[in-house]
Amino acid sequence: WIIRMGFEQHFGGLEATRRFLYLMKDGADLPPGLLNDPAYLKRIASPRIFSTFVGADALAGAIVLLLPVTLVFLWQITPKVRVAIRWAFVVILGGCGLASLYWSGSKAGWLVSLIVAVVALGHSAISMKWKRFLICGVLILGVAGFGVRYAAFFKKQKNSVGARFTYWRAALHIVAIHPVLGTGPGTFGVLYEQIKRPDDEPTRLCHNDYLEQACDSGLPGFVAYTAMVAGFLWWLYRYRARSSRGFSCCFVVWLGMMGLCLHSVVEYHLYIPALAWPMFFLLGWAMNFED
């Protein structure tokens, strides 16, 4: 359903929404203040799809988290179908998911998906010779495609990468002032407005779940949350995913969680319930998984 909504947006849905808003800008049926919301107007004006999520980067996080387990589940529920047809199902759905990731325009999502693909190939049962060949091929094609696709992006004087470094410097400054208890949940944006320079990009969250915890809960909260994430991922891989046979559901669940936790270094997925709740649900399921 998420992929379907993304395709609908890419093939005319966003353009139709833009035309509707511009035609109805003086209409009484629009929610109050909708056309005065710069974040919403920016999202609608952009060609980046976001499907059912609050933004394009959140959609990329959902694809990273859920696409691996969706593909394996699709394979496992079709045991009586001919192998060629099963592969066709997986390739079509996987291709649609990767197309949605591409249309989301998430640069971090692209790079994280490369890491996920390399880890998946390393876990596969194919021979070491072919593993090395495929891993090198994926990295070369992925990095080359990334460079071609976003060459113009890095020529901009102001881009999202530079903005994130600005947010992270502000977060470190806030942590230095409030190292023990932090400033409270979701208060990064309040202090950021006080310390940011006039030409800095505005934001309400830090675009880094781990630094966000340091701001919200102080260094103890940062250490506890980071250690919890790293510890659970390590434990699940060692005692659940690594010992599972092939691409089991447990391994691909772990793979998706690992990808989302990496993506959280540059995003605020912990503050998006549609991503945080499924991740922690899958974490609990994996902890109790029995092969």
Side-chain angles (χ1 to χ4, degrees), residues 45-67:
S46 171
R48 299 175 63 184
I49 65 170
F50 50 89
S51 186
T52 59
F53 289 87
V54 68
D57 293 309
L59 170 62
I63 293 172
V64 168
L65 174 65
L66 298 175
L67 186 60

Side-chain angles (χ1 to χ4, degrees), residues 128-149:
M128 184 58 65
K129 177 183 177 180
W130 279 104
K131 277 184 184 180
R132 292 171 182 169
F133 176 77
L134 290 173
I135 288 173
C136 289
V138 167
L139 288 176
I140 292 172
L141 290 175
V143 173
F146 182 87
V148 172
R149 174 69 173 82

Side-chain angles (χ1 to χ4, degrees), residues 71-80 86 247-250:
L71 296 179
V72 169
F73 183 69
L74 176 61
W75 179 270
Q76 291 186 352
I77 63 172
T78 55
K80 296 182 180 180
R86 294 172 79 186
F247 290 133
S248 68
C249 277
C250 184

Side-chain angles (χ1 to χ4, degrees), residues 32 36 38-39 41 45 54 58 65 86 100-101 111-112 117 120 129 146 186 203-204 212 235 243 266 272 291:
N36 295 323
L41 293 177
V54 68
L65 174 65
R86 294 172 79 186
S100 298
L101 178 64
L111 296 176
V112 168
K129 177 183 177 180
F146 182 87
T203 187
R204 289 184 293 177
E212 186 75 39
W235 188 90
S243 60
V266 294
I272 301 175
D291 194 359

